Short mmCIF file of all heavy atoms in Angstrom, two decimals:
data_model
loop_
_atom_site.label_atom_id
_atom_site.label_comp_id
_atom_site.label_asym_id
_atom_site.label_seq_id
_atom_site.Cartn_x
_atom_site.Cartn_y
_atom_site.Cartn_z
N LEU A 23 16.92 -3.73 1.29
CA LEU A 23 16.16 -4.92 1.64
C LEU A 23 17.10 -6.04 2.09
O LEU A 23 16.80 -6.79 3.02
CB LEU A 23 15.31 -5.36 0.46
CG LEU A 23 14.20 -6.37 0.72
CD1 LEU A 23 13.21 -5.84 1.75
CD2 LEU A 23 13.48 -6.72 -0.58
N GLN A 45 13.34 4.03 -26.57
CA GLN A 45 14.01 4.85 -25.56
C GLN A 45 14.09 4.15 -24.21
O GLN A 45 15.00 4.41 -23.42
CB GLN A 45 13.29 6.20 -25.42
CG GLN A 45 13.48 7.16 -26.59
CD GLN A 45 12.73 6.73 -27.84
OE1 GLN A 45 11.66 6.11 -27.74
NE2 GLN A 45 13.28 7.04 -29.01
N ARG A 58 19.16 -9.81 -12.01
CA ARG A 58 19.82 -11.12 -12.09
C ARG A 58 20.98 -11.24 -11.12
O ARG A 58 21.39 -12.35 -10.77
CB ARG A 58 20.31 -11.36 -13.52
CG ARG A 58 19.21 -11.46 -14.57
CD ARG A 58 19.78 -11.80 -15.94
NE ARG A 58 18.89 -11.41 -17.01
CZ ARG A 58 19.19 -10.52 -17.96
NH1 ARG A 58 20.40 -9.96 -17.98
NH2 ARG A 58 18.32 -10.22 -18.90
N LEU A 64 17.34 -15.83 0.08
CA LEU A 64 17.36 -17.29 0.04
C LEU A 64 17.46 -17.79 -1.40
O LEU A 64 18.20 -18.74 -1.71
CB LEU A 64 16.10 -17.84 0.70
CG LEU A 64 15.97 -19.37 0.72
CD1 LEU A 64 17.07 -19.97 1.58
CD2 LEU A 64 14.59 -19.78 1.26
N ASP A 67 14.45 -15.21 -8.22
CA ASP A 67 13.82 -15.58 -9.48
C ASP A 67 13.46 -14.30 -10.21
O ASP A 67 12.81 -13.42 -9.62
CB ASP A 67 12.57 -16.44 -9.22
CG ASP A 67 11.92 -16.92 -10.51
OD1 ASP A 67 12.62 -17.03 -11.52
OD2 ASP A 67 10.70 -17.18 -10.48
N ARG A 71 9.27 -9.60 -18.44
CA ARG A 71 8.12 -9.47 -19.34
C ARG A 71 8.61 -9.23 -20.77
O ARG A 71 9.45 -8.34 -20.99
CB ARG A 71 7.25 -8.28 -18.91
CG ARG A 71 6.84 -8.27 -17.44
CD ARG A 71 5.89 -9.38 -17.10
NE ARG A 71 5.23 -9.13 -15.80
CZ ARG A 71 4.42 -9.99 -15.22
NH1 ARG A 71 4.18 -11.16 -15.78
NH2 ARG A 71 3.86 -9.71 -14.05
N ASN A 74 5.72 -4.56 -22.77
CA ASN A 74 5.30 -3.69 -21.68
C ASN A 74 3.86 -3.96 -21.29
O ASN A 74 2.94 -3.80 -22.09
CB ASN A 74 5.46 -2.22 -22.08
CG ASN A 74 5.08 -1.29 -20.95
OD1 ASN A 74 3.98 -0.74 -20.91
ND2 ASN A 74 5.97 -1.12 -20.00
N ILE A 82 -0.89 -6.76 -11.06
CA ILE A 82 -2.03 -7.66 -10.90
C ILE A 82 -1.66 -9.08 -11.35
O ILE A 82 -1.96 -10.07 -10.67
CB ILE A 82 -3.25 -7.15 -11.69
CG1 ILE A 82 -3.78 -5.87 -11.03
CG2 ILE A 82 -4.35 -8.21 -11.77
CD1 ILE A 82 -4.83 -5.15 -11.85
N GLY A 84 1.39 -10.35 -11.53
CA GLY A 84 2.37 -10.89 -10.60
C GLY A 84 1.76 -11.33 -9.29
O GLY A 84 2.11 -12.39 -8.75
N GLN A 87 -0.04 -14.61 -9.83
CA GLN A 87 0.92 -15.72 -9.89
C GLN A 87 1.43 -16.09 -8.50
O GLN A 87 1.46 -17.27 -8.13
CB GLN A 87 2.10 -15.34 -10.78
CG GLN A 87 1.81 -15.26 -12.26
CD GLN A 87 3.09 -14.99 -13.05
OE1 GLN A 87 4.13 -15.59 -12.83
NE2 GLN A 87 3.01 -14.04 -13.98
N LEU A 109 11.25 -6.48 7.21
CA LEU A 109 10.80 -7.85 6.99
C LEU A 109 10.33 -8.49 8.30
O LEU A 109 9.37 -9.26 8.30
CB LEU A 109 11.91 -8.68 6.36
CG LEU A 109 12.28 -8.30 4.92
CD1 LEU A 109 13.38 -9.23 4.39
CD2 LEU A 109 11.06 -8.35 4.00
N GLY A 143 -1.21 7.94 25.74
CA GLY A 143 -1.56 6.66 26.34
C GLY A 143 -1.90 5.57 25.34
O GLY A 143 -2.25 4.46 25.75
N ILE A 169 -10.43 -11.10 -6.22
CA ILE A 169 -10.70 -9.67 -6.39
C ILE A 169 -11.22 -9.39 -7.79
O ILE A 169 -10.69 -9.89 -8.78
CB ILE A 169 -9.43 -8.84 -6.13
CG1 ILE A 169 -9.10 -8.81 -4.63
CG2 ILE A 169 -9.59 -7.40 -6.64
CD1 ILE A 169 -7.86 -8.00 -4.27
N MET A 224 -13.00 -4.70 5.60
CA MET A 224 -11.73 -4.97 6.26
C MET A 224 -10.93 -3.69 6.47
O MET A 224 -11.23 -2.64 5.89
CB MET A 224 -10.90 -5.97 5.44
CG MET A 224 -11.43 -7.39 5.46
SD MET A 224 -10.32 -8.52 4.57
CE MET A 224 -10.96 -10.09 5.14
N ILE A 227 -3.53 -2.59 8.56
CA ILE A 227 -2.70 -2.33 9.75
C ILE A 227 -1.52 -1.47 9.32
O ILE A 227 -0.80 -1.79 8.38
CB ILE A 227 -2.18 -3.64 10.37
CG1 ILE A 227 -3.35 -4.49 10.89
CG2 ILE A 227 -1.18 -3.35 11.48
CD1 ILE A 227 -4.10 -3.87 12.04
N LEU A 230 2.97 2.95 13.61
CA LEU A 230 3.02 4.36 14.00
C LEU A 230 4.24 5.04 13.37
O LEU A 230 4.16 6.17 12.89
CB LEU A 230 3.08 4.48 15.52
CG LEU A 230 1.80 4.19 16.28
CD1 LEU A 230 2.03 4.36 17.78
CD2 LEU A 230 0.67 5.11 15.83
N SER A 232 7.04 4.63 10.38
CA SER A 232 7.19 3.91 9.11
C SER A 232 8.46 3.08 9.05
O SER A 232 9.51 3.47 9.56
CB SER A 232 7.18 4.90 7.95
OG SER A 232 5.91 5.46 7.76
N LEU A 235 10.33 4.14 3.08
CA LEU A 235 10.36 5.50 2.54
C LEU A 235 10.29 5.42 1.03
O LEU A 235 11.05 4.66 0.41
CB LEU A 235 11.65 6.21 2.96
CG LEU A 235 11.94 7.57 2.32
CD1 LEU A 235 10.94 8.61 2.80
CD2 LEU A 235 13.38 8.01 2.63
N GLY A 238 10.95 7.42 -4.86
CA GLY A 238 10.68 7.64 -6.27
C GLY A 238 9.71 8.77 -6.56
O GLY A 238 9.22 8.89 -7.69
N SER A 241 9.09 10.46 -10.08
CA SER A 241 9.57 9.66 -11.20
C SER A 241 8.71 8.43 -11.48
O SER A 241 9.00 7.68 -12.40
CB SER A 241 11.01 9.19 -10.93
OG SER A 241 11.04 8.28 -9.84
N THR A 246 4.11 11.53 -9.70
CA THR A 246 4.78 12.37 -10.70
C THR A 246 5.22 13.72 -10.15
O THR A 246 5.94 14.45 -10.83
CB THR A 246 3.84 12.61 -11.89
OG1 THR A 246 2.61 13.18 -11.41
CG2 THR A 246 3.53 11.30 -12.60
N ILE A 275 -7.09 8.77 15.74
CA ILE A 275 -6.04 8.48 14.76
C ILE A 275 -6.61 8.51 13.35
O ILE A 275 -6.00 9.05 12.42
CB ILE A 275 -5.40 7.11 15.06
CG1 ILE A 275 -4.64 7.16 16.39
CG2 ILE A 275 -4.46 6.70 13.93
CD1 ILE A 275 -4.02 5.84 16.79
N TYR A 284 -5.26 15.73 2.78
CA TYR A 284 -5.55 17.06 2.25
C TYR A 284 -4.34 17.97 2.37
O TYR A 284 -4.14 18.88 1.57
CB TYR A 284 -6.72 17.71 3.00
CG TYR A 284 -8.06 17.34 2.43
CD1 TYR A 284 -8.99 16.64 3.19
CD2 TYR A 284 -8.40 17.68 1.14
CE1 TYR A 284 -10.22 16.30 2.68
CE2 TYR A 284 -9.63 17.34 0.61
CZ TYR A 284 -10.54 16.65 1.38
OH TYR A 284 -11.75 16.31 0.87
#
Side-chain angles (χ1 to χ4, degrees):
L23 195 59
Q45 288 72 31
R58 296 184 202 119
L64 180 65
D67 183 25
R71 308 292 196 185
N74 182 260
I82 291 170
Q87 289 184 46
L109 292 181
I169 287 180
M224 288 184 166
I227 296 294
L230 286 180
S232 290
L235 171 68
S241 66
T246 56
I275 293 178
Y284 274 118

